[in-house]
Amino acid sequence: MKIKPFYLVVALLIVAGISLAWIRHAQLHIPLRPGQTKPVWLIEARIDFVAHGNPVTVSLDLPDNPPGFRCVSEQAASLGYGFTIVDGATGRRAEWTRRHAAGPQTLYFKLQMVPDDTEAAPETPTPTPEAPATVYWHELQATAAQQVLDLAYERSSSPISFARELIRQLNADPPDQNAALLLDEYPLPDLLRRLLNQAGIPARISLGLELEDARRYQNLKPVLEVFDAPHWVPINENSGAHGLPENLLLWHRGGQSLLDVTGGQRSDIRFSMIRQTMPSMDLARLQFDGGGLSRFSLHHLPIEEQSVFKLLLLLPVGALVVTFMRLIVGVRTAGTFMPVLIALAFLQTTLLPGLAAFLGIVSMGLVLRGYLSRLNLLMVARISTLIVLVIFLASVVSVLGYELGVQVGLTLTFFPMVIIAWTIERMSILWEEEGSQEVLVQGFGSLCVAIIAYLLMRIAIVGHLAFNFPEVHLVLLALILLMGQYTGYKLTELKRFGVMGDQR
Amino acid sequence: MWHSAPHLRRQGVLGMNRRNVAYISRYNPRSKYPLVDNKLKTKLLAEKFHLATPCLRGVIEYQYEIAAFQETADRLDGFAIKPAKGAGGKGILVVTHRRDGQFVKSSGRSVDIRHIRHHLSNILAGLYSLAGTPDVAIIEDLIRSDEMFAALSFAGVPDIRIIVFRGYPVMAMLRLSTSASDGKANLHKGAVGVGLDIASGRSLHAVQYARRITHHPDTNTPLDTIAVPDWRDLLILAARSFEMTGLGYIGADLVVDRDRGPMLLELNARPGLSIQIANGAGLLPRLQTIEKLDRDLSPPAEERVAFAMQVFGSDNP
């Protein structure tokens, strides 16, 4: 049978439509719902230093896919400096260069970060670092350290729990003797790193930025990270809690120094930040870099064409409604797709003013057409006359309405005049031939379909999906194809053939 | 009143969607449509195949010919003007006779020559044609009703619609115009449909506006005793239109003329479904009976009619 490949095609269309949309959603972060907003951290790093008048090179370590965040944009502002972002073996670094600079210098680096909960988990495994170098202590401290380590070792089973035990000992209140001795010499994070390294566990001090709205001149804060294969795990040096706290951006992780300044001194780096809210759609658009899937996006078109497509891509929805109403329900309409065009016009006029304008112009047109039919005009001339009259009427109504402060008149301009003229002509002939009842039936049917199509197209999510995920039209196409195969009774036929039940 | 879909299915009612997909698009090749959509072509073809049709009196193709129409009209007492590509009886103007230089329509209203010229120019401009394409007007002889039919109809000539599937007549109805239908024979305009027994041509069941009736609403003639004369000839005439057009699923409209007997009026490649209401029976079982027959076998029209009369008679539904 021919049917099987057909259903296969339909299934394929549906699967392709949905999966393409999903892939684009996942990869390009195009939101599935309209009007979604996301918080965005706008972070500004300010580097100050004093230059000696020699060539200057400033190199700043940049966050490289920090866990829990996604970078949306980066931008450097610094007058007279050359700027590049270098992707080296030690990570990404921003580099400012200048042949000659003297006196106090200020460089800015701005970036926008979006908290990204979805990708918190899949951090790529990092290569196992080399075994930590030997740690040297004073004799007194070496004994204390060994005792602390022995106790912690006894009570733990893994690098993380080992670190936690160390933290508990060092933070005990009152501190035990060994801990007090060690803390006298070293600050807590550094001490922990030394202790862990001594035990042969790779640990490092990274620098993180605590994000808090509208803070200025913040310093990076040391964060202890312990290597628990295959990841580096941040651990709070006071509570022992592992994992990344919310709103902590790991700016500098291992590797080289945070900031290198050659040709200057007294360098300092400070951070300011504010929390903004941005529509998810704009965020997604910022990331359309022209590669891969984002190539096939209507957002690359000029704005004017985009707005045309915004409307055009709603047409299939209207076509679906018409198909459903005519094939399954069996509503009679004047002109197959006239209701869709009316619905599109309603989209711009909103329903009630649009309805009033439409009914007004059509009924006025019918009156005029009644006179025209007495003139014995040829049909093409008659419709042309009607078009001219309809446009004339529309402008008179618009001007009058505007003068009187009634905006309804203005909405007339959105209706396709030629379609209206044809509608009037058809309605008028229908009236003459089939009587007023048929005009009412078809007119009512058309308006019903138009209103349903309008209500559907007006739903924000429908417009959003249609424009941002054009591939969902494949699903609509599949539905229309399916309906094209429907051989059952129309809903209205159940009534039409109702008399058939009586006889037996 | 409404009926559930399973109920209609049990009755074998053919729905619009199924008709379009399973019958019209499967059995009617698109290329053959012009043969029936253009009444002029149908007419010429019918003459070639020696099927009786109303006599063609003239064709108006161009606007300037309309001015000269008066001469044609003067030679005829009654005539019918039809758009060649009209559908659903649209644009048909029937003049039964003349009175004081006026033309009297079948509804009894009289109109002047200007009205007729306007009508002709509308036809040429394509107002009544299927896709609004330019059209031609054909003028043919008026059909004089058989006396038996004249008593039945309010105005105009009753016609007989026969559904012919793969050359077999499967269902028939007599359409009687009423005052409500303005002399037109379209059921949805209020004409009376009388289902006819394929075996005998006797009435089975009559409906108006999808309601059962027993008497004609205008003439009050009883509708349950009708027996169409020359029934077998009518069926054969309808059945032969299959060979003529090559269309598998057609509705043939026939009339019985007082003098010339059964005549083919027009053919329809998308026949309506109301014939089922008039017959009080669904088309599907009959169509399926024909579909079960061997497609390669094509017996002559007489044999097909004999088969249909035997199988589709009211005695063995």
Side-chain angles (χ1 to χ4, degrees):
Chain A
M1 279 293 276
K2 272 185 187 168
I3 297 297
K4 277 205 167 157
F6 171 78
Y7 286 113
L8 207 69
V9 167
V10 167
L12 256 174
L13 282 176
I14 293 180
V15 170
I18 293 180
S19 49
L20 255 178
W22 186 254
I23 290 172
R24 272 161 48 88
H25 165 68
Q27 294 212 337
L28 301 176
H29 304 283
I30 304 175
L32 285 175
R33 271 173 295 138
Q36 274 182 320
T37 55
K38 273 194 174 172
V40 181
W41 288 100
L42 178 64
I43 302 163
E44 187 184 79
R46 172 185 166 145
I47 302 166
D48 288 294
F49 64 95
V50 181
H52 304 314
N54 297 325
V56 174
T57 305
V58 178
S59 165
L60 171 69
D61 189 35
L62 294 181
D64 193 5
N65 286 328
F69 290 92
R70 189 153 49 81
C71 182
V72 183
S73 72
E74 292 173 319
Q75 167 190 8
S78 32
L79 207 64
Y81 279 83
F83 176 78
T84 42
I85 290 180
V86 187
D87 258 319
T90 50
R92 297 171 72 239
R93 297 187 76 86
E95 222 172 69
W96 287 265
T97 44
R98 192 171 184 181
R99 180 65 62 189
H100 176 89
Q105 305 284 317
T106 307
L107 304 175
Y108 290 98
F109 186 77
K110 283 184 193 172
L111 57 115
Q112 282 179 304
M113 285 282 183
V114 185
D116 194 356
D117 334 316
T118 53
E119 285 181 12
E123 196 186 341
T124 46
T126 31
T128 314
E130 293 166 22
T134 327
V135 186
Y136 298 100
W137 308 83
H138 283 285
E139 207 170 326
L140 191 63
Q141 288 155 352
T143 329
Q146 198 53 53
Q147 280 177 6
V148 170
L149 284 173
D150 286 346
L151 189 60
Y153 190 78
E154 206 49 41
R155 293 180 180 175
S156 66
S157 59
S158 65
I160 298 287
S161 55
F162 184 66
R164 199 163 50 222
E165 279 310 314
L166 282 178
I167 289 164
R168 183 175 303 156
Q169 283 186 55
L170 296 179
N171 283 307
D173 191 34
D176 86 25
Q177 247 179 351
N178 289 328
L181 183 69
L182 290 166
L183 282 168
D184 250 4
E185 193 68 25
Y186 306 99
L188 183 57
D190 199 37
L191 173 63
L192 279 165
R193 182 185 61 81
R194 290 180 71 101
L195 283 169
L196 284 163
N197 282 355
Q198 162 130 18
I201 295 167
R204 68 185 183 189
I205 302 290
S206 295
L207 295 174
L209 185 62
E210 253 183 297
L211 297 176
E212 214 175 323
D213 196 12
R215 282 308 191 84
R216 304 171 66 202
Y217 303 117
Q218 296 294 298
N219 272 319
L220 292 181
K221 173 188 153 198
V223 178
L224 177 73
E225 283 192 291
V226 177
F227 188 77
D228 182 24
H231 299 301
W232 286 98
V233 180
I235 291 191
N236 185 305
E237 77 267 16
N238 291 316
S239 68
H242 68 280
L244 196 69
E246 213 184 334
N247 288 347
L248 184 77
L249 171 68
L250 285 178
W251 186 286
H252 173 69
R253 300 186 85 184
Q256 258 180 311
S257 57
L258 169 70
L259 179 68
D260 290 328
V261 178
T262 1
Q265 62 180 24
R266 285 193 281 152
S267 63
D268 188 20
I269 181 163
R270 291 299 167 106
F271 295 85
S272 314
M273 67 213 85
I274 47 169
R275 189 173 187 270
Q276 301 170 317
T277 334
M278 260 174 95
S280 304
M281 203 51 240
D282 293 348
L283 273 177
R285 209 169 291 151
L286 275 177
Q287 292 178 300
F288 289 169
D289 43 14
L293 278 171
S294 67
R295 275 223 160 279
F296 301 101
S297 167
L298 292 164
H299 294 285
H300 292 300
L301 294 175
I303 297 292
E304 224 176 299
E305 275 70 24
Q306 282 193 32
S307 55
V308 171
F309 269 102
K310 240 174 206 167
L311 219 55
L312 272 188
L313 285 170
L314 283 173
L315 267 177
V317 179
L320 181 77
V321 171
V322 168
T323 315
F324 179 80
M325 293 303 277
R326 285 182 64 115
L327 291 186
I328 313 284
V329 180
V331 174
R332 269 179 290 171
T333 59
T336 315
F337 287 103
M338 192 265 276
V340 185
L341 296 175
I342 296 178
L344 277 187
F346 283 166
L347 274 186
Q348 319 213 8
T349 61
T350 70
L351 190 56
L352 286 180
L355 255 182
F358 179 74
L359 288 178
I361 196 92
V362 169
S363 44
M364 277 192 280
L366 277 176
V367 172
L368 284 176
R369 169 64 176 72
Y371 174 68
L372 282 180
S373 74
R374 288 194 291 171
L375 286 183
N376 277 0
L377 292 175
L378 292 176
M379 186 194 63
V380 178
R382 190 166 58 225
I383 295 178
S384 304
T385 315
L386 213 53
I387 291 175
V388 175
L389 287 178
V390 163
I391 290 173
F392 188 68
L393 264 180
S395 40
V396 167
V397 170
S398 296
V399 170
L400 270 181
Y402 187 70
E403 290 294 320
L404 296 173
V406 186
Q407 297 290 320
V408 172
L410 289 179
T411 60
L412 275 177
T413 45
F414 291 110
F415 287 98
M417 290 298 160
V418 177
I419 298 290
I420 289 207
W422 259 111
T423 307
I424 293 169
E425 176 71 14
R426 292 239 169 240
M427 288 291 191
S428 154
I429 290 177
L430 210 59
W431 197 306
E432 285 175 10
E433 290 187 354
E434 317 266 333
S436 53
Q437 202 193 343
E438 188 63 21
V439 172
L440 287 181
V441 166
Q442 290 201 7
F444 185 72
S446 304
L447 278 182
C448 266
V449 175
I451 290 172
I452 292 175
Y454 159 78
L455 289 177
L456 207 64
M457 293 196 276
R458 204 190 54 148
I459 300 173
I461 190 163
V462 173
H464 174 82
L465 287 179
F467 183 65
N468 293 303
F469 298 96
E471 53 276 3
V472 297
H473 288 110
L474 293 179
V475 180
L476 292 191
L477 181 65
L479 291 180
I480 291 175
L481 286 177
L482 268 186
M483 280 196 268
Q485 288 273 315
Y486 174 73
T487 56
Y489 300 111
K490 299 177 183 188
L491 215 54
T492 47
E493 278 177 343
L494 296 184
K495 181 170 180 353
R496 178 183 173 193
F497 294 118
V499 72
M500 306 277 297
D502 300 351
Q503 38 149 19
R504 263 166 230 181
Chain B
M1 83 223 70
W2 294 71
H3 274 284
S4 66
H7 179 92
L8 290 186
R9 215 170 291 132
R10 268 199 305 281
Q11 297 252 324
V13 174
L14 179 66
M16 176 99 69
N17 290 330
R18 183 145 186 184
R19 179 199 73 174
N20 291 344
V21 171
Y23 294 99
I24 292 186
S25 62
R26 189 176 299 167
Y27 291 100
N28 290 354
R30 200 79 222 182
S31 59
K32 305 268 171 62
Y33 273 41
L35 297 183
V36 295
D37 285 346
N38 189 329
K39 289 199 186 79
L40 189 57
K41 282 190 183 169
T42 317
K43 224 170 161 52
L44 299 176
L45 199 64
E47 280 172 11
K48 204 165 123 191
F49 277 77
H50 301 290
L51 301 189
T53 61
C55 199
L56 183 65
R57 290 298 176 182
V59 178
I60 293 185
E61 214 176 335
Y62 301 105
Q63 190 68 28
Y64 71 85
E65 293 172 311
I66 293 176
F69 173 71
Q70 182 93 47
E71 292 169 30
T72 317
D74 285 342
R75 278 187 271 118
L76 302 165
D77 189 27
F79 55 88
I81 297 176
K82 298 178 178 177
K85 297 181 201 162
K90 279 184 192 164
I92 295 180
L93 183 97
V94 178
V95 171
T96 52
H97 59 279
R98 312 279 289 270
R99 192 200 302 137
D100 314 329
Q102 297 270 72
F103 298 86
V104 183
K105 292 208 295 180
S106 54
S107 58
R109 240 187 308 154
S110 49
V111 293
D112 59 2
I113 186 79
R114 277 181 48 222
H115 177 92
I116 291 184
R117 285 200 185 122
H118 181 212
H119 189 80
L120 283 171
S121 83
N122 271 346
I123 290 177
L124 296 197
L127 190 52
Y128 307 106
S129 75
L130 275 176
T133 49
D135 202 355
V136 299
I138 53 183
I139 298 149
E140 42 181 49
D141 260 353
L142 188 68
I143 293 145
R144 307 281 171 189
S145 279
D146 189 281
E147 270 161 49
M148 178 222 120
F149 284 124
L152 282 173
S153 189
F154 159 73
V157 184
D159 73 349
I160 295 157
R161 156 66 61 93
I162 300 176
I163 301 284
V164 180
F165 180 53
R166 285 174 54 189
Y168 292 86
V170 290
M171 199 174 267
M173 76 169 161
L174 179 68
R175 298 187 296 190
L176 308 172
S177 58
T178 61
S179 60
S181 75
D182 187 31
K184 299 259 161 57
N186 300 79
L187 254 55
H188 67 271
K189 286 187 194 163
V192 171
V194 184
L196 297 175
D197 181 7
I198 283 280
S200 59
R202 287 176 189 282
S203 64
L204 291 171
H205 196 261
V207 290
Q208 186 191 24
Y209 291 123
R211 272 192 305 275
R212 276 196 83 157
I213 52 170
T214 52
H215 291 78
H216 191 286
D218 302 315
T219 59
N220 217 23
T221 351
L223 296 172
D224 47 358
T225 55
I226 301 171
V228 177
D230 302 326
W231 182 240
R232 183 181 289 268
D233 293 344
L234 273 166
L235 289 184
I236 291 173
L237 187 61
R240 285 177 63 197
S241 58
F242 170 61
E243 277 93 1
M244 182 178 115
T245 57
L247 290 164
Y249 185 80
I250 39 178
D253 290 346
L254 302 108
V255 284
V256 182
D257 190 82
R258 191 171 60 196
D259 311 314
R260 298 185 56 205
M263 285 196 290
L264 179 67
L265 211 54
E266 61 173 299
L267 294 172
N268 198 322
R270 310 165 194 80
L273 298 167
S274 356
I275 193 168
Q276 302 178 101
I277 301 172
N279 273 270
L283 269 167
L284 264 182
R286 302 189 184 187
L287 296 175
Q288 280 158 353
T289 308
I290 303 292
E291 277 184 306
K292 281 192 202 112
L293 299 178
D294 190 352
R295 279 200 87 162
D296 302 328
L297 209 68
S298 54
E302 288 76 11
E303 275 179 43
R304 294 198 303 258
V305 169
F307 176 84
M309 288 173 85
Q310 189 197 341
V311 176
F312 301 137
S314 61
D315 304 332
N316 36 337

